[in-house]
Amino acid sequence: MGYWTLDEIPWDRFDRSKLDLEIVRLVKAASLVEYNGAAYAHHLCRIFHDDPNFQRAARRWGEEEIQHGRALARWATLADPSYEFVAAFDRFQAGYQIDFDCDVSRRGSRSGEMIARCIVEVGTSSYYSALRDGVQEPVLKEICRNIAADEIRHYKLFYKNLTRCLERERVGFWQRLRVAFGRIAEAEDDELAYAYYAANEIGGPYDRRRHSRAYARRALALYQEHHVRHMITMVFKAVGLAPRSRLARAASRLAWRALCYRMTRLARVAA
């Protein structure tokens, strides 16, 4: 498992007076996505079928993702005793399905798969850092601190394997950039929206647009400019650009303005 365990979380410090019900809804959704990590680990082992060392690392990564899901689910149950994690996860798996048995990356190469995984870890490390900084409840703060640290380690794992893959594959800068932007765009796909739906709504149909907006409106509000700056730095490194260059600083400012604009639009729609 990771460098921490569920027994090390100070559950007795849980403070109901500092709950934010909107945050509870986000944590429920996150518990489902994180707990699904074993499926992605299986997919990576299929892609790297001839690399036992990376397979071991991928399985360990999957176990740590499952631990994230368990920690978040336990906290969510403290916050909302009516939350039935197992039933919610069953709904999530039934409604959001990907072919995890495929042994070829849909990114076009092993290098592309590692770039995509780096981008995912960029997003999750930034998100849990933003969640940690944005909540008052002390137990959730500690869980998010641990998860954010894990996600940075996971980024390093995939980046290290990316450098190994690039020694054997001819993947140019523009192709790396295309994979990265493609994976960033997939943040708008069904996974997060359906997890939000499966975790928070027992009855009623799934509406991708409505649930995606509901999730994004609550999640994006957590971000501060330094979280976005950290995210851009890691993205630049994954695609082969200087992470602390003038271009990176300009991209960070542009990304922050785009996020603020998106939050404004979501707030108007909600109103």
Side-chain angles (χ1 to χ4, degrees):
M1 302 298 287
Y3 294 113
W4 57 281
T5 68
L6 266 63
D7 291 337
E8 296 171 18
I9 301 297
W11 301 104
D12 58 333
R13 292 177 55 202
F14 178 75
D15 188 345
R16 183 169 296 278
S17 69
K18 294 183 178 179
L19 285 182
D20 181 332
L21 295 182
E22 299 289 358
I23 296 296
V24 175
R25 294 172 72 86
L26 291 177
V27 171
K28 289 178 182 178
S31 70
L32 304 185
V33 175
E34 295 287 336
Y35 195 73
N36 204 35
Y40 286 98
H42 170 74
H43 183 46
L44 288 177
C45 287
R46 295 274 293 173
I47 294 172
F48 291 87
H49 58 85
D50 58 351
D51 190 340
N53 290 331
F54 180 71
Q55 285 184 336
R56 282 191 291 273
R59 291 190 186 100
R60 182 182 179 89
W61 165 76
E63 291 170 359
E64 292 181 4
E65 294 295 298
I66 291 172
Q67 176 170 275
H68 297 171
R70 287 176 175 153
L72 294 167
R74 182 168 172 179
W75 183 88
T77 303
L78 286 175
D80 179 5
S82 69
Y83 180 47
E84 297 181 355
F85 171 70
V86 174
F89 187 70
D90 287 344
R91 287 194 298 273
F92 175 60
Q93 281 199 312
Y96 179 74
Q97 298 181 344
I98 293 179
D99 180 12
F100 290 110
D101 281 325
C102 180
D103 59 3
V104 177
S105 173
R106 59 192 175 117
R107 315 297 171 182
S109 66
R110 289 180 171 185
S111 296
E113 185 65 33
M114 289 298 93
I115 292 168
R117 293 317 313 172
C118 283
I119 297 304
V120 171
E121 302 306 326
V122 166
T124 53
S125 66
S126 300
Y127 175 68
Y128 287 108
S129 295
L131 188 56
R132 174 201 63 206
D133 295 343
V135 302
Q136 298 300 316
E137 204 292 307
V139 177
L140 182 58
K141 262 189 180 298
E142 180 67 9
I143 292 171
C144 290
R145 184 186 68 80
N146 286 322
I147 295 178
D150 280 352
E151 305 296 16
I152 291 293
R153 284 194 299 105
H154 296 164
Y155 174 90
K156 292 177 179 178
L157 163 68
F158 294 129
Y159 183 79
K160 181 179 179 180
N161 202 50
L162 168 62
T163 59
R164 292 175 57 241
C165 292
L166 288 172
E167 292 174 357
R168 299 186 294 271
E169 297 176 335
R170 296 179 60 86
V171 180
F173 166 73
W174 292 110
Q175 188 174 352
R176 291 172 69 173
L177 194 64
R178 180 181 60 80
V179 171
F181 272 107
R183 189 58 188 85
I184 291 170
E186 287 175 20
E188 300 292 328
D189 70 7
D190 279 305
E191 184 174 27
L192 292 172
Y194 202 89
Y196 187 84
Y197 163 73
N200 293 293
E201 296 188 22
I202 296 177
Y206 171 59
D207 183 329
R208 175 179 177 177
R209 189 175 186 183
R210 180 169 68 85
H211 289 105
S212 178
R213 283 177 171 175
Y215 173 84
R217 180 165 55 85
R218 293 166 172 86
L220 295 182
L222 296 167
Y223 284 86
Q224 300 172 38
E225 189 170 3
H226 68 89
H227 299 130
V228 174
R229 187 163 55 247
H230 169 72
M231 194 175 350
I232 294 298
T233 296
M234 295 173 72
V235 169
F236 264 49
K237 184 177 180 179
V239 300
L241 290 170
R244 303 193 183 281
S245 61
R246 183 179 298 178
L247 179 61
R249 292 192 294 272
S252 294
R253 291 192 293 270
L254 183 62
W256 172 244
R257 290 170 186 166
L259 186 145
C260 291
Y261 175 72
R262 177 94 191 280
M263 286 191 294
T264 300
R265 289 195 62 187
L266 288 169
R268 287 174 180 170
V269 171

